[in-house]
Amino acid sequence: MCKDPWSTANKIDTTATLFAGEGRAVNSTPTVNESVEFHFVIDGKVRTLSSQNTSDEGGTITGLFFVPTLDKKDPCNEATARYVPSNVTRQEDVADYGYKLIGLAPWISVNCTQAYFAAARAADAGAMVVYRPTDNQTKKPPIPQSNSWNLDDKGLWRSQNHYPVYAIPGPSGNYLMDQLALYSGNKTLDSIYGNASHANSTNISPFGQLGDIRLFTMIYLQPASTVFWPTWLVVLVIFVVITIFVVWWLVHCRHWFQQEELLTNRRGRELVRQENFERHRMRRLREQKVPREILESLPLYKYPDLAVPQQAILAEECRSKALLHEDKTTDPAPKRSTFAFWREINGPNSEDLILPAPSTVTTRGAGLSAEGELKEEPKGCQPWKTQTTCAICLDEFTAGESMVRELPCNHIFHSACIDRFLMQRGNFCPLCKKSVLPEGYYPHLPAVLPMQPPPMQNTSRFSVF
């Protein structure tokens, strides 16, 4: 249902009515024989072309059908002669009954239609019904905006006429025009009935004294707010709305899935980027060279001349024992450092042991105390008791001759081998891969994540140089 700015006609009901008195239509007494009775209804096939002087609330327009009379010299009389009979009901045939007049005219050309509209205005018609006589379609006439109703005045004719104009199908208009010729003022009841016995008694019927028979018409109007769309149009609108909603929903879902996929890919790329950065950072940590001042702070001494135990104690066992040793606060056995043990063997005046200067570098396991002496270790955990070969050059240590350097992880190497390794290769122990740099000492690493870390290099973990 939609709203139009005016009321529209949906039904025209035309009936042959007997006027028995002056200005009154008799509806209660059957005055017309069944053989001549006429009742014609046009329902749902009336098109409103203009709605001048009609109420938006609907209602009915009642009156008598007639054909407006053109000027005798108007060429449209000859042009419409084949569609308008000469004995059709005219204005003078219905003017004395006191009802509104409703005009009926064919729409054949611009000039003739304008002439009929002018004649209807002169007759003070209450409405006008037009039809296209050459159109044999019985469906509802075209819409008002169609070129079928164009009079070359840009629609000005709608406002020039003070009455509403309605269009009906061509066959219906031709049928009504023929009936207006039958029920006109120059026809007697005898000619209509075809009964010769009534020829000498004009206007006499079995029902008594008769009057004139005219076509009484009622045009039913729908209110402006109750104009219904056709069923096919309603179905089409619903289908279009559902289609638009489905398309919108599919597009929205596709956009949502694309956004989710984009975010997922972005998160994946970010994770890969972080992982590559961590790998790059770890590689940079391993490649960080050991400065000379930190290298010189690591213990440096000659390899002792002692017999190696039959079962070497591993570094992990030594570190675990060292931890247990630190937890024991009351140990009756005195502990000896590597330096003290060396003095016991070589005498107090030995000058073969090179001690580094006091340093604040923190070391793990064996190392130097704040007073410059080696830290105490558990018995049997001296690094030279578990290592007899340099892991870099694979040469055995020579007691009393080989200069070894001890790393914070308690592993020892030839000083020449480990010094060159730490200053050129990296800062990690060749055996356990632990860094020899103090915690927090990474001055050359980037503080923020680079936009694109360099690709990882495939370096063998077993290569040394």
Side-chain angles (χ1 to χ4, degrees):
M1 185 175 65
C2 65
K3 291 186 177 181
D4 280 338
W6 54 74
S7 59
T8 57
N10 67 324
K11 181 179 178 181
I12 295 179
D13 191 347
T14 304
T15 306
T17 305
L18 173 65
F19 289 87
E22 294 182 359
R24 293 182 63 85
V26 178
N27 295 324
S28 60
T29 304
T31 58
V32 181
N33 190 281
E34 292 182 359
S35 62
V36 295
E37 183 179 5
F38 172 75
H39 185 205
F40 184 62
V41 179
I42 306 175
D43 191 2
K45 298 181 180 180
V46 182
R47 178 72 69 182
T48 301
L49 300 183
S50 69
S51 59
Q52 291 290 97
N53 296 325
T54 58
S55 175
D56 292 341
E57 297 179 357
T60 57
I61 300 175
T62 59
L64 299 176
F65 253 146
F66 82 107
V67 178
T69 303
L70 302 179
D71 188 84
K72 293 181 180 181
K73 297 181 180 180
D74 196 325
C76 290
N77 287 319
E78 183 177 355
T80 59
R82 56 182 299 189
Y83 308 117
V84 180
S86 59
N87 59 341
V88 76
T89 302
R90 299 288 182 172
Q91 178 183 359
E92 54 271 16
D93 298 327
V94 293
D96 298 334
Y97 297 104
Y99 283 89
K100 286 183 179 181
L101 303 182
I102 299 177
L104 179 67
W107 188 298
I108 61 173
S109 65
V110 174
N111 295 332
C112 293
T113 302
Q114 291 283 22
Y116 275 114
F117 283 160
R121 289 195 299 269
D124 196 20
M128 190 71 176
V129 178
V130 297
Y131 66 97
R132 301 184 69 84
T134 58
D135 187 2
N136 296 324
Q137 298 290 335
T138 59
K139 61 182 181 180
K140 194 172 183 178
I143 60 176
Q145 294 78 15
S146 174
N147 290 331
S148 301
W149 317 116
N150 184 20
L151 295 181
D152 297 334
D153 61 352
K154 298 182 180 180
L156 187 62
W157 60 271
R158 292 183 173 87
S159 60
Q160 288 178 344
N161 299 320
H162 63 274
Y163 47 78
V165 180
Y166 306 101
I168 60 176
S172 300
N174 292 327
Y175 182 64
L176 284 176
M177 188 65 72
D178 293 338
Q179 296 301 317
L180 282 177
L182 292 177
Y183 297 99
S184 61
N186 59 352
K187 289 291 184 180
T188 63
L189 288 178
D190 294 322
S191 62
I192 295 175
Y193 286 148
N195 192 345
S197 61
H198 291 179
N200 297 327
S201 57
T202 305
N203 295 335
I204 299 296
S205 73
F207 303 105
Q209 184 70 30
L210 297 180
D212 297 327
I213 300 176
R214 298 292 181 265
L215 296 184
F216 187 79
T217 301
M218 299 182 68
I219 303 177
Y220 294 89
L221 303 178
Q222 286 184 337
S225 59
T226 58
V227 180
F228 290 90
W229 287 349
T231 305
W232 66 269
L233 185 58
V234 175
V235 174
L236 179 61
V237 171
I238 295 176
F239 175 77
V240 170
V241 171
I242 294 176
T243 303
I244 293 176
F245 175 76
V246 171
V247 171
W248 174 84
W249 185 80
L250 292 177
V251 171
H252 182 74
C253 291
R254 181 174 178 270
H255 178 72
W256 184 81
F257 281 117
Q258 288 179 344
Q259 291 294 328
E260 287 297 321
E261 184 179 2
L262 182 62
L263 291 177
T264 303
N265 295 338
R266 185 177 299 173
R267 295 189 191 101
R269 290 194 300 268
E270 187 66 22
L271 291 177
V272 172
R273 181 166 167 261
Q274 290 288 349
E275 183 179 355
N276 292 338
F277 174 72
E278 289 298 327
R279 292 179 180 177
H280 173 68
R281 183 174 177 272
M282 294 302 299
R283 183 174 64 85
R284 291 287 301 274
L285 287 175
R286 290 180 177 276
E287 293 178 353
Q288 186 74 23
K289 306 302 185 295
V290 179
R292 171 67 66 176
E293 60 271 13
I294 295 180
L295 181 63
E296 293 178 352
S297 67
L298 299 177
L300 179 65
Y301 52 87
K302 287 185 178 180
Y303 190 77
D305 185 10
L306 291 177
V308 180
Q310 295 180 357
Q311 294 182 351
I313 303 176
L314 298 180
E316 291 292 335
E317 297 177 355
C318 289
R319 283 194 293 272
S320 62
K321 289 184 178 181
L323 293 176
L324 293 176
H325 171 70
E326 291 177 0
D327 293 337
K328 296 179 180 180
T329 56
T330 58
D331 191 354
K335 306 301 178 183
R336 295 180 300 173
S337 65
T338 304
F339 176 65
F341 189 77
W342 176 254
R343 274 189 176 182
E344 182 179 346
I345 297 175
N346 297 279
N349 297 325
S350 176
E351 298 180 355
D352 295 333
L353 181 64
I354 303 176
L355 294 179
S359 174
T360 57
V361 177
T362 303
T363 59
R364 294 183 298 273
L368 296 178
S369 63
E371 291 76 13
E373 294 187 356
L374 293 176
K375 293 183 179 180
E376 294 183 353
E377 296 177 319
K379 185 177 182 180
C381 285
Q382 288 82 358
W384 41 267
K385 285 189 176 183
T386 59
Q387 292 181 245
T388 61
T389 304
C390 177
I392 298 177
C393 64
L394 302 180
D395 292 340
E396 292 186 355
F397 297 122
T398 303
E401 296 181 3
S402 298
M403 295 297 296
V404 296
R405 189 179 295 279
E406 183 178 346
L407 302 184
C409 57
N410 291 336
H411 291 137
I412 58 176
F413 306 91
H414 286 132
S415 61
C417 296
I418 194 62
D419 290 354
R420 185 174 58 163
F421 178 88
L422 294 178
M423 296 182 63
Q424 298 180 2
R425 185 74 176 98
N427 57 56
F428 55 92
C429 174
L431 289 177
C432 64
K433 305 301 180 184
K434 289 186 177 180
S435 176
V436 300
L437 294 176
E439 295 183 1
Y441 185 85
Y442 304 110
H444 301 295
L445 290 182
V448 296
L449 182 66
M451 294 301 297
Q452 187 175 2
M456 295 293 295
Q457 296 180 359
N458 186 15
T459 58
S460 176
R461 58 178 297 182
F462 300 102
S463 63
V464 177
F465 296 103

